[in-house]
Amino acid sequence: MKRKQQEDDGVEKAVSTTTVVATSSNTMNADHLLLQSSSKLSQKQDYIFHGGRRHVRPYYFEFISHVNKRWTGKTIVDLFADEFKGRPRDYYVGAVKSGRIKVDGEIVPVSYIVKSSQKITHFLHRHEPPVMIDDVVILHQEPDVVTVCKPASVPVHPCGQYRKNTVVGILDAEHDLGTLFPIHRLDRLVSGLLIIARTAAKADFFRQQIEGGLVKKRYIAKVIGVFPENEMVVDANINYNGSEGRSTAEDAISSGDDKKVKGKPACTKFTRIATYGTHSLVSCEPVTGRTHQIRVHLQYTGHPIANDPLYLNQHIDNLETYIAKRINAGERKMVSPDDYVYSSEDFSIDPMCTNCPKLIPQGYEEHDEALWLHCVQYSGTGWEYECPYPSWASL
């Protein structure tokens, strides 16, 4: 299921660390918004827990971008209406007129034509998508490193629409660990071990070992069917399609001798841990680190992850119906976003906001559920960290 493009996707990903708060005035133009600089990304009171999910109280925020070659020559309104389709054109007209959208710090007319490299700022009432309610559990803590069990659905660091609803944001709110340096990433729907350095020197130590090929990692996955008993090594190129957000696997045999193999070389070792016929629990050791490598290599073996929304569709005709039945069966009960009833105690409505009075942004109405892929171990020269198995790993 593809999500609608949101206003702060794409080029506007580059954001400031400044939060904007409304004054007591009812006039909601940019001149009546105060900037508050803070070293903290999040605080405990920033979150609302509702319907089995962690929400973020909407807040004011400033996005900063610079005019690129494609934008040059467009009017300021056309630029936003063409590039960021998550909001209607009328919103951008009002935002320019009120000074919420400025060029080089100045209010400009709606007909203003932007020039190359100009600075554009956009003040908006930011609504973040919800994530699952599971805690970010600290597994091991030292002065220069901390390891956590990342819940599924939570991004590692601020990106796209997510800022406070991230591992880094939640840790800042709940544990106040100071500046953090994530060493590696896990896909948003993947859970498990995440290593985070607390100093730049420790971050460099880990990165040097990763870049030097000295780090081994292991995941577990719950897959469809009876996985072969003997170790299986998949050596098939991964070709990632950014527009579709998914990868494909291809080797020289399947592509034919006269065709060039697409994508980047990738290798994963798989070992069956247990099986009971319908599903198997598999140990996964990626030798390389391509996008969705384990997921697409498991699909390549004919045993995809049993609840993978991207790579299971060749095996189940109606994936959405399948997932809906599992959710209704009670594996994870979450109410519909439409069940949320606005309360002034939760947040203040912005009259210009296209999301208020709803809590979550438009285009994020679907349910997330934990992908049955979990990182359990990272090891290098002189160190090793582990994470417990999740509940779904029990067969």
Side-chain angles (χ1 to χ4, degrees):
M1 182 182 300
K2 288 188 177 181
R3 290 174 167 160
K4 291 170 60 179
Q5 183 186 28
Q6 300 297 309
E7 168 67 17
D8 47 352
D9 285 340
V11 181
E12 277 199 304
K13 283 181 181 177
V15 301
S16 73
T17 57
T18 303
T19 301
V20 188
V21 297
T23 68
S24 58
S25 171
N26 291 326
T27 305
M28 300 299 291
N29 60 36
D31 292 334
H32 289 80
L33 299 174
L34 297 178
L35 297 181
Q36 288 188 340
S37 296
S38 173
S39 59
K40 283 189 67 63
L41 178 60
S42 309
Q43 300 184 39
K44 288 183 178 181
Q45 61 266 31
D46 291 341
Y47 299 98
I48 299 172
F49 299 94
H50 169 74
R53 296 193 285 184
R54 179 193 292 263
H55 298 261
V56 173
R57 298 181 193 278
Y59 56 97
Y60 288 98
F61 194 75
E62 177 190 47
F63 282 86
I64 299 175
S65 56
H66 290 81
V67 178
N68 58 32
K69 184 177 181 180
R70 189 178 70 252
W71 293 2
T72 302
K74 290 186 176 183
T75 68
I76 186 66
V77 172
D78 285 344
L79 186 162
F80 277 88
D82 293 345
E83 298 290 337
F84 307 103
K85 301 181 185 298
R87 292 177 172 83
R89 183 182 183 87
D90 288 348
Y91 166 82
Y92 294 122
V93 171
V96 172
K97 288 181 176 179
S98 67
R100 290 198 178 193
I101 294 177
K102 292 182 179 181
V103 179
D104 288 336
E106 302 292 334
I107 297 177
V108 297
V110 294
S111 59
Y112 182 85
I113 297 176
V114 301
K115 305 175 184 65
S116 177
S117 300
Q118 285 185 306
K119 177 183 176 181
I120 297 178
T121 55
H122 183 192
F123 293 95
L124 53 77
H125 197 229
R126 185 169 185 177
H127 292 236
E128 293 193 29
V131 298
M132 289 181 179
I133 205 169
D134 305 297
D135 292 331
V136 177
V137 178
I138 292 180
L139 302 172
H140 183 78
Q141 186 171 342
E142 300 174 7
D144 55 358
V145 65
V146 60
T147 67
V148 303
C149 182
K150 181 187 102 60
S153 84
V154 183
V156 172
H157 50 72
C159 57
Q161 277 276 33
Y162 299 88
R163 182 170 177 261
K164 299 185 179 189
N165 247 351
T166 60
V167 172
V168 172
I170 294 170
L171 286 175
D172 189 42
E174 298 182 351
H175 298 283
D176 198 19
L177 295 174
T179 304
L180 299 175
F181 304 84
I183 300 306
H184 60 101
R185 65 181 298 273
L186 297 176
D187 287 345
R188 192 175 64 84
L189 295 181
V190 177
S191 60
L193 177 67
L194 186 66
I195 303 171
I196 304 173
R198 302 180 66 183
T199 65
K202 194 66 173 182
D204 287 339
F205 166 80
F206 283 119
R207 286 173 184 149
Q208 287 176 13
Q209 291 208 7
I210 291 173
E211 292 172 359
L214 302 176
V215 175
K216 295 181 179 180
K217 44 197 172 182
R218 186 169 70 88
Y219 295 70
I220 57 169
K222 192 174 184 178
V223 304
I224 290 287
V226 179
F227 199 84
E229 184 176 2
N230 295 329
E231 180 183 85
M232 178 183 295
V233 178
V234 175
D235 194 356
N237 281 26
I238 297 293
N239 185 29
Y240 180 69
N241 187 321
S243 61
E244 295 184 359
R246 59 184 294 159
S247 296
T248 55
E250 185 176 339
D251 61 22
I253 297 176
S254 62
S255 63
D257 294 336
D258 57 339
K259 295 182 180 180
K260 183 179 179 180
V261 180
K262 298 179 181 179
K264 298 179 180 179
C267 180
T268 313
K269 298 177 182 179
F270 298 109
T271 306
R272 190 179 80 188
I273 299 173
T275 185
Y276 65 90
T278 306
H279 296 116
S280 297
L281 194 63
V282 178
S283 172
C284 317
E285 298 180 42
V287 179
T288 52
R290 310 302 182 195
T291 303
H292 296 180
Q293 176 175 317
I294 294 174
R295 298 165 69 180
V296 73
H297 274 180
L298 283 169
Q299 181 196 47
Y300 182 85
T301 69
H303 300 276
I305 295 172
N307 69 340
D308 194 330
L310 276 182
Y311 301 105
L312 189 66
N313 55 359
Q314 293 182 359
H315 298 262
I316 293 181
D317 293 334
N318 193 331
L319 178 61
E320 291 186 9
T321 299
Y322 170 74
I323 291 178
K325 287 180 179 178
R326 294 185 55 239
I327 292 175
N328 292 336
E331 294 198 21
R332 175 169 292 276
K333 293 183 178 179
M334 294 186 291
V335 299
S336 166
D338 293 332
D339 290 340
Y340 171 77
V341 178
Y342 169 73
S343 169
S344 59
E345 295 180 357
D346 289 342
F347 64 95
S348 298
I349 290 178
D350 183 324
M352 287 187 63
C353 181
T354 57
N355 294 309
C356 287
K358 289 186 175 182
L359 184 56
I360 70 172
Q362 297 180 29
Y364 287 82
E365 282 80 10
E366 74 266 26
H367 291 289
D368 279 332
E369 77 170 314
L371 187 68
W372 286 342
L373 179 62
H374 183 86
C375 182
V376 294
Q377 185 183 69
Y378 259 69
S379 61
T381 304
W383 58 271
E384 179 179 297
Y385 297 106
E386 294 185 343
C387 182
Y389 280 15
S391 59
W392 53 257
S394 174
L395 293 178

